[in-house]
Amino acid sequence: MIETLLAQNEGKTIEFKETTRSLSGIIKTVLAFANTAGGTVIIGVRDESKELIGLPDILQEEEKLTSAIADSIAPLLIPNIEIQTIRGKELLILQVPHSVGPYYLKSEGPDRGVYIRFGSTNRVADAETLSALRLLAKNTSFDELPHPYGQLDAKAIKDSFSAVDKRPTDSALESFGVTTHRSGKSCPTNGGVLLFGSNRLQFFPDSIIRCARFAGITKEKILDQAEIDTHLPYAIDLAIAFIERNTRKGAKIGRMRREDIFEYPPAAIREAVINAILHADYAMKGCQIKIAVFDNRIEFTNPGGLPYGLTMEKAIKGSSRLRNRVIGRVFRELRLIEQWGSGLQRILEACKRQGLKTPLIEELNNQFQLTLYSTQVEEITIASWGKLILKYLEEKGEVTTKEAARVWKVSTRTARLRLKSLQEDGFILRLGTAENDPNVTYIPTRKFF
C-alpha cells in the first residue's frame, strides 16, 4: 500500500512531510483530514521529488508527534501511527479516519480553530461549514431541521403522491421528515419547505434551477434559458423538458417500428438532474443549481462539494452519503430514485452503452459538476504522444502535469494543454478540487492496451 501512496501527489486525502519540524502544520493537516474525508500523512518524504529521506530517531519522533496531537486537538483524536521501512528509510505513516467532530485546535478554540481539507491545503472552516459539521455531529441533516415559518402546499403533496398511487397521512409525512415537532407543535422541516413549500422562495431564494442553451461551445451567446422555481419533485420533469427541446433527436426506421435516437441517453439525463437536486447544499447562499447546454456537452452544476467523509473515488464506485435525507426519503417514496448511491454509476453505464465519451466528474470551488458529452462529437484518433502517456498511466495508475512533462520532454504549459485535450476527448479523468488546483492528477478512463 505504501508504494501506491508514494506514487500519488498531495491532495484531499494525502500529504507528505520531510520532517516533523513543521509540527503545527502536521497537526492542522491531521484535524483537517479528520473533519473532511480522512487521509494519510507520510513523514520522511520530499513532496515534489518523492525522495525518501527517512527520520533519524523515529521512536522519539513518533512519541513527540503522538503527544503533540493529543495536547493540541479536541476532542481527543487518535490516528493510527505506524513505522515502516521502505528502501532502507524509516517513515512515519499517520492514517487519519474521517470522524464526527468537529475537531479543532485547542489554542484557537471551537469557533476559530476548525480546519477542513480543500484540495491540498488546510483552510479554516467558515460559518456555513462549521454549522454543517456541527449538524453532522448531531447526526442531523440541514433539511431535517424544523422551519417554524414554512407553509406546505397540501395540493402539491397530494398530487405528487397520487402520481404513485399513495395518499400520505400526517404521521407518514412526519416519518418521511417533511414535518416535525417544535415546542410541542407540528411544523415543516427545511426539507418539507424545499419540497412542497408554498412560500419556499421566501426562505430559500437560491433553491432554483437555472437552465441555459448556449450557441456553440462557449458561454458567449444564449439561445434559450429558463429559471425553474417550482416544487422540487416537479422541477425534475421541467429541467428534462428544457434539455430535450435544446438537444437533437434522430430516428432509426426498422421493419416494424421507428426507434428514436437521442443525442444523450435519457437515463443519464434523468439521473444527472435528480443527482443535482438531491445532493445540492441548500444551506449555501448565493449559489443555485445550473444546467448549461452546449453544442457538444451538458454541464450540471450544484452547490456543495462531496459530503464530508466521501472521496471522489468512493463516489464513482457507488459509495454514498446523503446530504439531504428528507429529500432523499421523499424522492424514494415517489419512485424517483431506486438505490442509494447508484446515480453516478447509472450515468457512467448509460453513456458507455451509447458509446459516448466518459463523463467528467469534478469538485470545483465547493461545487459539484458533472459533464455529459454529446453523440455528435466526432470520432477521436489519438496522437503518438497520447499513446505514450496512456501506456505510462497503465503502469503507474495516475499522472501529474509535471510528470507528464517529464515523460513527454516538453514544458509544463505544453503538458497541461495536452492533458486537457486528452481529458476533453474522454481518455483521462481529472481528479482535482478546484479549477486551478496545482496538485491535480489524471487517471485513465479505461484500459486502452
Side-chain angles (χ1 to χ4, degrees), residues 22 49 83 113 123 135 173 183 203 238 306 344 348 367 397 412 414 431:
S22 59
S49 65
I83 298 174
R123 298 189 183 181
L135 283 177
L173 290 176
S183 302
F203 300 107
L238 291 175
L306 290 171
L344 290 179
L348 294 170
Q367 297 186 76
T412 54
T414 299
L431 297 180

Side-chain angles (χ1 to χ4, degrees), residues 4 29 42 122 129 149 163 172 236 247 257 259 267 269 295 308 326:
T4 303
T29 296
I42 302 179
N122 305 317
T129 301
Y149 305 108
I236 296 170
T247 52
R257 60 188 175 89
E259 180 184 353
I269 293 294
D295 281 359
Y308 296 110
V326 175

Side-chain angles (χ1 to χ4, degrees), residues 27 64-79 106:
I27 291 169
K64 178 176 73 173
L65 191 58
T66 302
S67 298
I69 291 173
D71 293 342
S72 304
I73 298 176
L76 181 64
L77 177 62
I78 306 177
K106 292 180 181 178

Side-chain angles (χ1 to χ4, degrees), residues 136-156:
L136 185 65
K138 297 176 182 177
N139 194 28
T140 302
S141 62
F142 172 76
D143 70 340
E144 290 178 312
L145 295 176
H147 198 302
Y149 305 108
Q151 298 174 5
L152 298 182
D153 185 332
K155 185 177 185 302

Side-chain angles (χ1 to χ4, degrees), residues 265 268 346-357 359 372:
R346 288 170 185 265
I347 291 167
L348 294 170
E349 284 300 317
C351 293
K352 184 178 180 181
R353 284 195 301 270
Q354 195 158 313
L356 304 184
K357 292 195 324 181
L372 301 183

Side-chain angles (χ1 to χ4, degrees), residues 25-50:
I26 294 174
I27 291 169
K28 287 179 181 178
T29 296
V30 167
L31 74 86
F33 279 163
N35 283 329
T36 309
T40 304
V41 183
I42 302 179
I43 306 174
V45 179
R46 284 202 177 110
D47 175 27
E48 292 190 5
S49 65
K50 301 297 172 60

